[in-house]
Amino acid sequence: MTKKMKLSQLSDILQDLDVESLEGVTIEGDIELNITGGGGLNPALAYALGNEISQISLHMANIGRMLGFPAEQLFASAFGLGEMPQPEALPTSPKIQELLASKFEVAKVDNWKNPIQEVTLGATSGDGGSRKSTVTIGGENALPYYFDAEMPHRNYVTMDVFDMPIGMAKAVKGNYEDVINDPAEWAKKVVRDFNADMVTIHLISTDPLINDTPAKEAAKVVEDVLQAVDVPIVIGGSGNPEKDPEVLERAAEVAEGERVLLASASLNLDYERIAKAAMDYGHNVLSWTQLEINAQKELNRKLMKQCNVPRERIVMDPTTAALGYGLDYAYTNMERIRLAGLMGDDELTFPMSSGTTNAWGAREAWMVSSPLNQDSDWGPREYRGPIWEIVTGLALSLAGNDMFMMMHPTSVQVLKEITQTLYGSIESEEIDITNWIGAEV
């Protein structure tokens, strides 16, 4: 005989079982199902369907058991099976609080035997300079932020200042329009308003292809910046290999005793003159190479053995390529350098600096939108640009970079917040990325 059941009847049965998870749930609509017998489902098909439904019920019941519900008692009651034997208790997972509170030991990396050289930038009155404080980088015994190896010094940011107005992305320029013609005031602003740890003064007007500013005149700008701020400074030339040695010599002379970082010595200019200026006037040297670990080893070796620069006076800049424009290669190069230093390569055991400002050279950081019609929306550039600089710096911090040369104040704030939180020196605070981003783009 055919047995028939309507969905409304099925709903009543489920309600009678008093399943808590179905409280308030109703099955809407009404159709009639032929369960058995001729004229309905084929008996073999009905049996197969019943088997599948039973298997599904069993799986669901097991899930209920895992969640702590006594499903076997529910089945016993529904089918009149009497008392069912109690199953063995399922193992309970430890609470997350217990896992976090548990103690465990981490194996040391035996190959990491050489600490990275410490280098101090800036000199206080006690050291013969006029800086209010100094910055020390390096000293690591492992890759950064490893919880089993103390990181002796946090990451630092030096903000870029130029000796003449330059072309900048609108998102950056809006922060400096009031000081762009005065390097000393520019330096004051990045320290006072944007919390820069250091200042980098770029003497780009000295380039013969720009203004060809005499070295003596450029040195006066350095004096003005030193008087304007009391943080350590980095002095950069124009990048012209013929003019930079002379410019950095003059700058080193007027900054005597301040232990500045001269940027930079490289293999394509007279690095011996720059090294000598650093030694004569008590400064540090930035050893700059272009994404090539063997060139970095060669330059460091020549600075130490040929120019007699002490190890505690050398900082490396292996070159920063921005997100989307070789960041993966820059990261790999820096990480290889840091690992080689930790494993005993004495030519690479130096702290590293990153020209993170290079992120603004990527078109994705400053263009309004993609030049390709079929490309996806890039989003507002007033956010996109700073994020481009942040991600570039953060990635390289994980590779072992110690110091960042940066431009956008929001990028500086966010990167310092993240790296200092990882370092453990501050408590994380909510960051409002709109604080320093202007309305115009």
Side-chain angles (χ1 to χ4, degrees):
M1 179 179 178
T2 301
K3 294 183 66 176
K4 297 181 179 181
M5 178 181 292
K6 292 184 178 181
L7 286 181
S8 57
Q9 293 175 299
L10 177 60
S11 179
D12 292 338
I13 293 174
L14 292 174
Q15 292 298 329
D16 291 340
L17 292 177
D18 194 25
V19 180
E20 184 178 351
S21 61
L22 292 176
E23 184 177 345
V25 177
T26 59
I27 299 176
E28 297 182 350
D30 216 5
I31 63 173
E32 191 173 71
L33 300 174
N34 288 331
I35 305 302
T36 63
L41 289 175
N42 179 285
L45 180 59
Y47 182 89
L49 181 60
N51 178 64
E52 291 299 322
I53 293 174
S54 298
Q55 292 294 331
I56 293 172
S57 300
L58 182 60
H59 288 306
M60 297 302 292
N62 282 332
I63 293 175
R65 285 184 59 211
M66 292 173 64
L67 296 175
F69 182 78
E72 62 283 340
Q73 294 181 15
L74 178 64
F75 279 113
S77 173
F79 298 111
L81 301 178
E83 289 294 326
M84 296 283 288
Q86 293 293 325
E88 294 183 8
L90 294 172
T92 57
S93 300
K95 295 181 179 179
I96 187 65
Q97 295 90 339
E98 296 174 358
L99 289 174
L100 292 175
S102 62
K103 295 182 179 180
F104 55 93
E105 294 183 358
V106 179
K108 301 288 184 179
V109 180
D110 293 333
N111 290 336
W112 295 355
K113 298 179 179 179
N114 273 33
I116 301 303
Q117 177 66 52
E118 286 187 330
V119 176
T120 298
L121 307 171
T124 62
S125 57
D127 302 318
S130 62
R131 306 299 88 193
K132 183 178 180 180
S133 60
T134 62
V135 163
T136 300
I137 56 178
E140 298 92 340
N141 291 281
L143 288 175
Y145 318 127
Y146 271 50
F147 49 84
D148 60 322
E150 182 181 359
M151 192 173 170
H153 307 291
R154 69 173 176 89
N155 305 96
Y156 290 90
V157 172
T158 175
M159 293 189 73
D160 293 320
V161 171
F162 296 85
D163 68 341
M164 61 174 283
I166 64 166
M168 291 183 282
K170 273 192 174 183
V172 176
K173 190 175 182 178
N175 297 286
Y176 303 116
E177 287 180 321
D178 56 332
V179 295
I180 202 167
N181 292 299
D182 189 335
E185 289 301 314
W186 193 341
K188 279 184 183 179
K189 184 170 187 176
V190 299
V191 173
R192 180 189 65 237
D193 297 346
F194 304 145
N195 199 28
D197 298 311
M198 299 174 58
V199 169
T200 299
I201 173 65
H202 297 275
L203 304 173
I204 61 170
S205 71
T206 60
D207 191 329
L209 300 177
I210 301 180
N211 289 346
D212 200 17
T213 301
K216 183 177 181 180
E217 192 175 322
K220 179 64 170 62
V221 174
V222 174
E223 289 182 297
D224 292 342
V225 170
L226 283 169
Q227 292 174 8
V229 297
D230 57 8
V231 297
I233 72 167
V234 181
I235 303 174
S238 66
N240 184 283
E242 285 75 35
K243 187 76 175 285
D244 273 2
E246 178 191 359
V247 171
L248 293 178
E249 283 174 335
R250 281 294 188 124
E253 183 179 0
V254 299
E256 183 174 7
E258 297 290 356
R259 202 188 288 153
V260 305
L261 180 62
L262 297 179
S264 49
S266 68
L267 292 170
N268 69 340
L269 54 67
D270 192 347
Y271 56 83
E272 291 184 81
R273 289 178 64 182
I274 296 171
K276 185 177 186 304
M279 294 302 95
D280 288 347
Y281 300 109
H283 303 307
N284 300 311
V285 178
L286 187 66
S287 173
W288 175 66
T289 56
Q290 295 176 294
L291 295 169
E292 215 286 291
I293 190 170
N294 289 321
Q296 190 70 67
K297 286 169 61 69
E298 178 185 356
L299 180 57
N300 293 349
R301 182 169 60 250
K302 288 181 174 179
L303 288 174
M304 289 187 291
K305 297 184 177 180
Q306 185 177 327
C307 304
N308 297 314
V309 178
R311 299 183 60 83
E312 64 273 16
R313 296 287 187 89
I314 297 174
V315 177
M316 296 183 293
D317 181 354
T319 293
T320 294
L323 175 64
Y325 284 74
L327 176 60
D328 53 342
Y329 194 84
Y331 177 95
T332 301
N333 189 48
M334 285 189 179
E335 186 181 51
R336 286 179 62 206
I337 288 173
R338 177 50 53 92
L339 288 172
L342 291 171
M343 290 189 287
D345 190 333
D346 288 337
E347 294 175 349
L348 294 173
T349 51
F350 301 101
M352 290 185 288
S353 172
S354 159
T356 315
T357 301
N358 291 348
W360 290 95
R363 66 182 184 178
E364 289 86 352
W366 57 268
M367 287 184 71
V368 176
S369 60
S370 172
L372 304 176
N373 292 331
Q374 67 271 25
D375 205 349
S376 59
D377 181 18
W378 282 4
R381 61 177 174 173
E382 68 267 30
Y383 296 115
R384 183 173 9 104
I387 290 172
W388 217 258
E389 190 174 17
I390 292 164
V391 172
T392 298
L394 180 58
L396 297 181
S397 76
L398 298 175
N401 191 74
D402 300 276
M403 186 173 74
F404 306 91
M405 297 183 181
M406 303 180 70
M407 286 204 71
H408 199 288
T410 298
S411 304
V412 171
Q413 182 199 19
V414 174
L415 186 66
K416 289 184 71 172
E417 175 84 12
I418 295 172
T419 56
Q420 290 184 43
T421 300
L422 289 171
Y423 172 72
S425 60
I426 62 173
E427 293 183 1
S428 180
E429 299 177 358
E430 184 177 352
I431 297 172
D432 183 0
I433 198 171
T434 64
N435 278 349
W436 288 315
I437 297 178
E440 296 184 3
V441 296

